Amino acid sequence: MATAKHYVLPTIGSYKNLVIENVQIPEPKASEVLVKVHAVSLQYADLLIASGQYPVSPSGSLVPCSDMAGEVVAVGGDVKRWKVGDRVCANFTTDHLQGDPTPETQKTSMGGHNPAVLTEYRTFPALSLVNIPEHLSYVEASTLLCAALTAYNALYGARPSKAGDYVLILGTGGVSIFGLQFAIASGATVIATSSSDEKLKIAAKLGAKHVINYKKNPKWDEEVLRITKGTGVDHVIEVGGPGTIPLSINSTRMGGYIHLIGLVAQESKETNLVQLILKAVSIRGIQIGSVAQFADMNKLIEANPEATRPVVDKVFPFEKAVLAYEHLESQTHVGKVVIQVAN
């Protein structure tokens, strides 16, 4: 039987424990599709999983990462929708087809609970796959799975962003950049924050009308209120968590939405719950999205090809995956860090 390579974390503790192993290429079951992985993009969660700081307990050696783009090379006997040569991505939770997540669909997530995609070949349930937008490369498409879909779910889920809204984007990582692009596609006005003036220049080129350096202006919530003439923003893409939630609440209009996605600002600040109630602000935890949302998002991307083109910071070869993790950990990137699996 033919063999391929994949990465495993034999022990949790550091991404530097990653090693390459040879493995047999699996045969797809009747309802499955075998995919040749072309590119894998990294998430902040991949760092947390590798270091043991993520709320999952992998059993045995873990094949890491969840975000991929690849090519169908074989289909199971019951599969009708897909054919050899199709370009596809697989959803983060393979059984989350539509609607809200459930404990059952959570258990089918990749990268923590189950062996994932830092591999040359992998089988997927046929129902978990979506077509890659035609204008995107495999490298670009590999960024869609978590970062783009999370941002899409935030801005187009419970209460869609619309023309004329103010959207506050915290940071310039993968989710934040997609949030900026999707907000622009909806006709919203974007306010972006970062600790780097150079990163803010990129955000401005992508369409952010207002930019704030939170290192130079630690009371950035007051600047947001000044920009919005005291009203506050309609939506916040909140990736900081404990260290930024109080400022995000102050930045949000009455009845506005805070979409809680990340926890990168670990220094905890006291949250004024009375203010949260008085402003009737909704804080919504975002857990990626469903296959149906993925397909809808790709329609938006195809309809706005230039405004939503993925921003890829750097691409690393498969053999240098540890360096890709290291670059992600440095937080010097804007957009996505990608590992090219197939040439």
Side-chain angles (χ1 to χ4, degrees), residues 60-196:
S61 294
L62 175 69
V63 179
C65 302
S66 56
D67 293 26
M68 55 69 66
E71 172 190 2
V72 173
V73 293
V75 297
D78 293 342
V79 176
K80 305 301 181 186
R81 179 180 176 186
W82 304 107
K83 65 182 185 301
V84 172
D86 285 342
R87 302 191 320 138
V88 296
C89 292
N91 201 45
F92 172 72
T93 43
T94 58
D95 286 3
H96 186 191
L97 303 183
Q98 58 188 357
D100 294 328
T102 67
E104 289 71 31
T105 60
Q106 278 184 325
K107 292 175 183 177
T108 67
S109 64
M110 297 188 291
H113 290 288
N114 302 291
V117 300
L118 197 50
T119 179
E120 292 181 316
Y121 292 87
R122 193 189 191 278
T123 56
F124 298 94
L127 292 176
S128 73
L129 301 177
V130 298
N131 284 303
I132 292 172
E134 289 186 6
H135 67 288
L136 297 184
S137 67
Y138 284 115
V139 165
E140 292 171 322
S142 73
T143 70
L144 300 179
L145 180 52
C146 283
L149 188 53
T150 297
Y152 179 85
N153 189 0
L155 292 178
Y156 291 87
R159 185 168 183 175
S161 170
K162 63 185 184 303
D165 282 354
Y166 275 96
V167 177
L168 173 62
I169 306 290
L170 304 190
T172 50
V175 173
S176 299
I177 290 296
F178 273 117
L180 189 165
Q181 293 174 304
F182 290 154
I184 295 297
S186 76
T189 299
V190 171
I191 305 170
T193 73
S194 174
S195 62
S196 163

